[in-house]
Amino acid sequence: MERVFPSVEGALPVPELSKKQILILGSLVGACLLLSAALLAVLVSRPQEEEKTPETEEPVLYQGMPLLVTRGQVEQMSYTDSVMGEITWEISDEQLEELNWVLWEYDISTPEEISQFLAQATVETRAGRNLTETGDEEYFQRYGYSSGTRGAGYLHLTFDYGQMAFSTWMMKKYIQGLENIAYVNPTGHTRLEVQNAYYKAIQTAANLGLDVSEYSRIVYNGQDPEESGYITGADYIAERFAWESAAYFWHVTGISDTFSDMPGSENTDLASALVGGGNWQSRREAYAAFYPVFSIFPK
């Protein structure tokens, strides 16, 4: 016998199931429900796998090159100096980024060069705490400069002609249109030659209508910052180009070129002589503390 749903015109006939077929079908449905419940219980009881943390890639900073000085290495740059006492470096992320950039840009990139460079910077600035030379006007005048042209930056770039040479270098390096101006290195040239090159660069920029104020402010202009609206000279170098002024000086003075193939304090003495600072023993001690940190890198 066949059953037809009368309310649906033309519906297909549905065959009537026997009691045996109904029992079999019910058993199959029950088994499926039990199996589903069992699987659900297993899934719920299984410990959730921890999300895998993606591996941190080695940070890159300069044209795809890795960091030369990491935060971890800065934290290891602590030691006790026989003259200055406890030395620890505190450097912001921004300063650390600038440091790494100038090390690559000015080719101070071997463990020996980095250790020697940072050793000199440590003693010059007491681990970055004195980015300008300390003293009064009488003290500065005694050595032939002023508070505006006193040592500034991590290697305490000093004198008006030193500022002029650095300013010319920066204009030549960074201002489009001034690539061909003459840079005169103070090493081997007179103060007058450096000054003439600087003023010629300023005049060339003016003739071309170029704004070089970011770099001309490197040279102290003698005006009161409150009146002029901006600082110049030593204070500006310390604020804006503390690391680059040091790397520039290291580069144009050719300090790395004087080093022997073997690392050691002999190279420290060569660097100390060219940097021109005192307390050579402290510079040796700083280097001795830093070289083990950087001798195997990157970390």
Side-chain angles (χ1 to χ4, degrees):
M1 180 178 178
E2 295 181 346
R3 294 178 180 173
V4 179
F5 290 97
S7 60
V8 181
E9 184 177 353
L12 295 174
V14 178
E16 184 175 4
L17 299 176
S18 67
K19 290 182 178 180
K20 183 177 181 179
Q21 289 172 321
I22 292 173
L23 289 173
I24 293 172
L25 182 60
S27 298
L28 290 173
V29 171
C32 290
L33 290 174
L34 289 173
L35 181 60
S36 298
L39 289 173
L40 181 61
V42 170
L43 291 174
V44 170
S45 62
R46 286 179 63 184
Q48 296 292 323
E49 293 185 3
E50 295 183 1
E51 294 185 4
K52 292 184 178 180
T53 303
E55 293 184 3
T56 303
E57 296 182 357
E58 182 72 19
V60 294
L61 183 74
Y62 177 68
Q63 296 183 0
M65 304 302 287
L67 298 173
L68 291 172
V69 178
T70 67
R71 173 61 63 186
Q73 287 171 322
V74 171
E75 293 172 355
Q76 296 177 65
M77 291 167 56
S78 299
Y79 65 100
T80 302
D81 178 80
S82 61
V83 176
M84 298 186 295
E86 294 296 321
I87 296 295
T88 57
W89 270 86
E90 295 179 4
I91 183 170
S92 69
D93 290 341
E94 183 180 1
Q95 290 169 328
L96 182 59
E97 180 179 355
E98 183 186 359
L99 168 60
N100 276 277
W101 183 84
V102 300
L103 290 176
W104 279 119
E105 182 71 10
Y106 288 88
D107 194 23
I108 307 169
S109 55
T110 69
E112 176 71 359
E113 291 168 348
I114 294 168
S115 301
Q116 297 287 4
F117 177 76
L118 291 176
Q120 296 293 327
T122 297
V123 179
E124 288 281 298
T125 66
R126 199 175 180 84
R129 288 166 176 77
N130 299 325
L131 290 180
T132 56
E133 186 178 359
T134 58
D136 55 22
E137 195 67 37
E138 181 180 355
Y139 171 83
F140 300 137
Q141 291 289 344
R142 189 186 313 155
Y143 291 98
Y145 45 93
S146 67
S147 58
T149 60
R150 71 191 188 280
Y154 282 96
L155 288 187
H156 281 185
L157 185 73
T158 316
F159 295 106
D160 58 351
Y161 64 89
Q163 294 177 350
M164 290 178 180
F166 180 46
S167 176
T168 305
W169 171 275
M170 297 292 278
M171 288 187 284
K172 180 180 178 68
K173 184 175 178 63
Y174 294 113
I175 298 293
Q176 187 175 0
L178 297 182
E179 301 90 349
N180 296 323
I181 61 173
Y183 163 76
V184 176
N185 191 330
T187 302
H189 293 85
T190 66
R191 178 179 303 208
L192 181 59
E193 289 173 321
V194 173
Q195 291 175 340
N196 289 340
Y198 168 73
Y199 287 120
K200 186 174 182 179
I202 292 293
Q203 186 60 56
T204 301
N207 293 340
L208 296 174
L210 299 173
D211 181 9
V212 295
S213 58
E214 182 178 4
Y215 305 117
S216 62
R217 287 173 62 184
I218 290 171
V219 179
Y220 181 63
N221 65 11
Q223 296 181 0
D224 187 336
E226 294 183 1
E227 296 179 2
S228 63
Y230 54 84
I231 61 174
T232 63
D235 291 329
Y236 182 68
I237 294 171
E239 178 184 286
R240 181 71 176 80
F241 300 113
W243 276 124
E244 187 157 10
S245 64
Y248 150 82
F249 179 83
W250 190 275
H251 175 74
V252 301
T253 309
I255 294 176
S256 291
D257 296 336
T258 68
F259 292 164
S260 66
D261 294 335
M262 294 297 294
S265 59
E266 295 81 2
N267 292 334
T268 310
D269 292 345
L270 291 170
S272 299
L274 291 171
V275 170
N279 194 359
W280 284 25
Q281 178 59 32
S282 288
R283 295 168 198 263
R284 296 188 194 103
E285 292 177 22
Y287 165 75
F290 296 164
Y291 185 73
V293 176
F294 297 102
S295 57
I296 301 176
F297 83 100
K299 294 182 180 179

